[in-house]
Amino acid sequence: AQDSAIGFKDEMQSQGQSVDFDWRGTSAWEQDFKKTSLGGDDINYVDEVDIQWYTGHGSANSFTFKSSVDDTSIVPNDAQWGDLDLEWLNLESCQVLRDTTGTLDHLGRWGPTFDGLHLLNGFHTNAFCITGGTGRRFAEYLFPETFLFVTLRNPLTVQQAWASMANDLEPAGVRWRSMSAIRDDGVMNFGDHYWGQGNVGPDIGANERIGWASISGLT
């Protein structure tokens, strides 16, 4: 788990991106992901950045923290993401985007947390921590691969980077998932690139969305 966070941070910094915060273990708080109307502080943490990486335990209805500030887990009703800044939230945790009934029920659970958030990346199945971590590979895919000023690979979209990271590193049988809101004119954000690497879709506020969609694949 530590390898994933360290790798993500190191690769983003190597690409000239600043890191606003880096909290581990009991220093990572539920409060930092929680909407202000419920006493949370997301406007100074998760919703104050463009992209966020989280590694930790999860389930279909929550992801958890070692700390109890304010409590030990985020549930969908706790969150309202993107109304300040956050575009891409990446959850390396088990089953947060699980379709528990075969009716895409993850959309109804986590969809209301979208209020400008572009993408929520996660897993339907369990996710596995690996030696060396997954965060670096994900971040590498957000930027072009070059050698001696020759571009060997163009930057992937954020959704493609998540899928490619999982396909590369997670064991067989893991199902990754990416989720977007749908605007009232049909626009979605699955085609987003990271800033400066290609097209980025619009913030889709809660007042202009008509639903949600997800993409998934099996490793």
Side-chain angles (χ1 to χ4, degrees):
Q2 296 297 327
D3 286 352
S4 288
I6 291 167
F8 176 75
K9 181 180 75 169
D10 287 353
E11 179 61 24
M12 295 302 285
Q13 286 181 314
S14 78
Q15 296 288 346
Q17 307 303 298
S18 61
V19 175
D20 283 14
F21 54 86
D22 177 12
W23 300 116
R24 310 290 180 89
T26 55
S27 295
W29 294 351
E30 179 259 7
Q31 175 180 285
D32 300 338
F33 289 77
K34 192 173 187 177
K35 58 188 175 184
T36 55
S37 62
L38 293 180
D41 198 22
D42 67 340
I43 62 171
N44 289 310
Y45 292 98
V46 69
D47 220 338
E48 196 269 329
V49 297
D50 295 306
I51 190 167
Q52 164 79 30
W53 180 278
Y54 162 88
T55 298
H57 293 299
S59 68
N61 295 296
S62 69
F63 53 97
T64 67
F65 301 86
K66 290 183 177 180
S67 162
S68 58
V69 184
D70 291 330
D71 56 55
T72 58
S73 66
I74 279 285
V75 298
N77 287 341
D78 287 338
Q80 182 180 15
W81 294 317
D83 52 323
L84 180 62
D85 192 27
L86 183 66
E87 278 82 40
W88 307 290
L89 178 56
N90 307 285
L91 302 178
E92 185 186 43
S93 56
C94 295
Q95 302 186 32
V96 173
L97 294 183
R98 185 171 185 81
D99 178 4
T100 65
T101 63
T103 61
L104 305 180
D105 57 293
H106 61 283
L107 299 179
R109 285 197 311 275
W110 293 99
T113 67
F114 281 67
D115 190 9
L117 181 69
H118 289 209
L119 287 178
L120 177 59
N121 287 321
F123 291 89
H124 164 81
T125 60
N126 287 346
F128 296 86
C129 292
I130 62 163
T131 301
T134 56
R136 183 185 303 277
R137 183 69 57 87
F138 169 70
E140 287 173 345
Y141 277 131
L142 299 177
F143 301 92
E145 180 182 357
T146 60
F147 180 73
L148 297 178
F149 306 104
V150 175
T151 298
L152 304 179
R153 174 189 50 76
N154 290 324
L156 302 187
T157 67
V158 178
Q159 185 277 316
Q160 289 170 335
W162 187 255
S164 296
M165 171 275 293
N167 290 334
D168 287 354
L169 300 176
E170 290 288 332
V174 169
R175 181 169 290 279
W176 53 264
R177 177 164 276 138
S178 299
M179 181 173 166
S180 170
I182 307 172
R183 200 168 66 179
D184 50 17
D185 59 359
V187 168
M188 295 177 282
N189 283 316
F190 291 120
D192 276 11
H193 291 80
Y194 185 69
W195 292 117
Q197 304 305 313
N199 293 332
V200 179
D203 293 352
I204 301 173
N207 63 340
E208 56 182 348
R209 68 171 188 244
I210 59 170
W212 308 273
S214 66
I215 296 173
S216 70
L218 199 64
T219 62

